Amino acid sequence: MSNSTTEPVKPLSTEQLSATTLLRFATAGSVDDGKSTLVGRLLHDSKSVLTDQLEAVERASASRGADAPDLALLTDGLRAEREQGITIDVAYRYFATPRRRFILADTPGHVQYTRNMVTGASTADLAVVLVDARNGVIEQTRRHAAVAALLRVPHVVLAVNKMDLVAYDETVFAKIAEEFTAYAGELGVPEITAIPISALAGDNVVEPSSNMDWYGGPTVLEHLETVPVSHDLASCHARLPVQYVIRPQTAEHPDYRGYAGQIAAGTFRVGESVTVLPSGRTSKVAGIDLLGQPVDVAWTPQSVTLLLEDDIDISRGDLIVPSGDVPKTSQDVEATVCHVADTALSVGQRVLLKHTTRTVKAIVKEIPSRLTLDDLSQHPEPGRLVANDIGRVKIRTAEPLALDSYADSRRTGSFLLIDPADGTTLAAGMAGDAFAAPTDTAAEAAAPADGSDDGWDF
């Protein structure tokens, strides 16, 4: 692709868009590592910036005395962000190339806004973690790697930025890549790709760098366009949270009773035996309506209406699942939570737990540990969690819930804890174990001599 900004943005045709896949990815890294500049360079060099947007950035850059456009301003949209030169809120950007469509979440780097990184990465297929080549892997780098591991982000890119400030030294890049890969591998991150870049100069962002001929891997955009996006939710445990019961009771549809919602995971077929939770009643799928038309099969993330052979008392919040794959229901939930509210979460606190379309009353029974992301150690029985804390909790709900393990399904294994007084979101939860098992290579390299695994398994 050309780096010229004079060529007009060419929108993709409907046929091209339908042929591409969607990749959701998030950027993370410490303050001043260059996240917003990377995103701006990615949008600029891939011809995804409209003329008026670029002109606005050029005017803002000139008013600040800059000789060239500050591409970070393409994503730092808040006035406070531009004044301070940092990212505070999660900035979402949408763009496309002929090979793929993208939803990008540019997340804050400051430790104070770690909770915003959790928000941006919660639905990501890939996380780009930036490191300043001059500073290497620092505390906040490890923190963001741990958050990506907790959220089970399947692909992580280590972008070693500002290589121009270390004379494009291969040994600097190799040392940082080795250290980060060992750390992230110990956390169980399944795939790590390291790329040396200069976001400011454009090296290895969209175009290959002539300054680093020792690097033979893909550019950032090339990797984003080609990384496998499995979206294997269609082969996961089938789950349909009921959002609305449709009963038109018209002359045309006097007996129509449908259960509408978005399929959270898996596939449903006409004739399949299903179970409704939490009641446990069973029936068969008599029909599936998709966009007003009957179909024989539907899969995630389609929004559908299921019709059942039997009249069953079903309402919003119920979960329809295949009878051969019924999750266990329980009033006792053990999970890892990321606390996102300014007010603390304490033992004995009464909360609302929202899982898919179901919201139930609950009480925090225990907070067994709080994770220190700096070194992955645990603080036993902290008693409470404050903003940006990540910890283990035990919760008792007023009604049974059917939670899958977060490791099996990020959609049906996650939940929110809500303040019943004002509706504030307190924490984002992930049911089941915290981290995945370490990769074989990382486990061999990082395992202590005594064979213990203390430090990450809490």
Side-chain angles (χ1 to χ4, degrees), residues 26-362:
T27 58
S30 186
V31 175
D32 292 330
D33 278 352
K35 296 180 304 302
S36 296
T37 303
L38 170 63
V39 173
R41 174 63 65 183
L42 193 61
L43 295 174
H44 179 272
D45 288 5
S46 64
K47 303 295 179 290
S48 300
V49 181
L50 297 176
T51 302
D52 59 340
Q53 291 176 311
L54 186 58
E55 290 175 350
V57 168
E58 290 173 343
R59 288 194 301 269
S61 302
S63 67
R64 299 168 63 175
D67 296 329
D70 182 356
L71 298 180
L73 298 180
L74 288 171
T75 54
D76 288 340
L78 298 180
R79 177 177 297 179
E81 293 178 321
R82 295 193 176 193
E83 290 174 349
Q84 300 177 51
I86 63 173
T87 301
I88 296 174
D89 198 8
V90 179
Y92 289 95
R93 292 294 179 269
Y94 309 87
F95 68 103
T97 69
R99 304 180 71 176
R100 180 166 279 175
R101 294 174 293 141
F102 301 95
I103 299 178
L104 181 158
D106 183 27
T107 70
H110 197 283
V111 62
Q112 179 181 348
Y113 304 114
T114 300
R115 53 189 171 180
N116 296 44
M117 189 261 178
V118 172
T119 301
S122 61
T123 58
D125 305 303
L126 181 146
V128 179
V129 179
L130 270 77
V131 171
D132 188 325
R134 299 169 299 175
N135 302 327
V137 177
I138 61 175
E139 174 184 314
Q140 190 70 340
T141 309
R142 292 190 292 270
R143 182 177 286 110
H144 285 153
V147 169
L150 279 169
L151 294 172
R152 308 279 174 156
V153 180
H155 306 280
V156 171
V157 172
L158 171 67
V160 182
N161 193 23
K162 305 188 180 182
M163 288 296 295
D164 54 314
L165 300 182
V166 294
Y168 299 103
D169 191 336
E170 180 181 5
T171 58
V172 173
F173 167 73
K175 180 180 178 181
I176 294 172
E178 182 179 3
E179 181 181 355
F180 181 88
T181 300
Y183 181 83
E186 184 183 355
L187 294 171
V189 176
E191 181 181 292
I192 305 156
T193 302
I195 304 175
I197 69 169
S198 170
L200 186 64
D203 292 291
N204 285 337
V205 178
V206 172
E207 299 290 345
S209 172
S210 60
N211 298 307
M212 291 179 278
D213 52 7
W214 44 264
Y215 172 74
T219 65
V220 173
L221 181 61
E222 184 180 354
H223 182 72
L224 294 176
E225 287 183 322
T226 58
V227 65
V229 182
S230 58
H231 291 313
D232 58 355
L233 287 174
S235 60
C236 293
H237 310 287
R239 306 286 186 258
L240 175 68
V242 177
Q243 184 174 356
Y244 189 71
V245 180
I246 299 178
R247 292 210 62 198
Q249 295 181 308
T250 62
E252 185 180 359
H253 302 287
D255 301 316
Y256 188 98
R257 182 194 295 264
Y259 308 103
Q262 183 182 43
I263 300 177
T267 302
F268 286 90
R269 292 177 172 82
V270 173
E272 182 178 19
S273 296
V274 293
T275 299
V276 180
L277 299 175
S279 69
R281 297 284 301 275
T282 61
S283 184
K284 286 188 177 182
V285 178
I288 302 175
D289 287 347
L290 173 65
L291 299 176
Q293 300 296 325
V295 295
D296 292 328
V297 59
W299 54 85
T300 184
Q302 293 174 335
S303 294
V304 300
T305 301
L306 290 191
L307 292 84
L308 303 184
E309 291 183 354
D310 304 287
D311 289 334
I312 301 177
D313 183 10
I314 298 176
S315 58
R316 175 183 171 86
D318 287 348
L319 189 68
I320 300 177
V321 303
S323 296
D325 185 17
V326 180
K328 179 183 177 181
T329 59
S330 176
Q331 292 178 253
D332 296 301
V333 177
E334 293 190 29
T336 300
V337 299
C338 300
H339 193 65
V340 299
D342 292 327
T343 56
L345 181 72
S346 305
V347 173
Q349 186 170 343
R350 298 183 183 277
V351 298
L352 296 177
L353 189 154
K354 185 179 189 306
H355 173 245
T356 62
T357 59
R358 187 176 186 83
T359 302
V360 300
K361 295 179 179 179

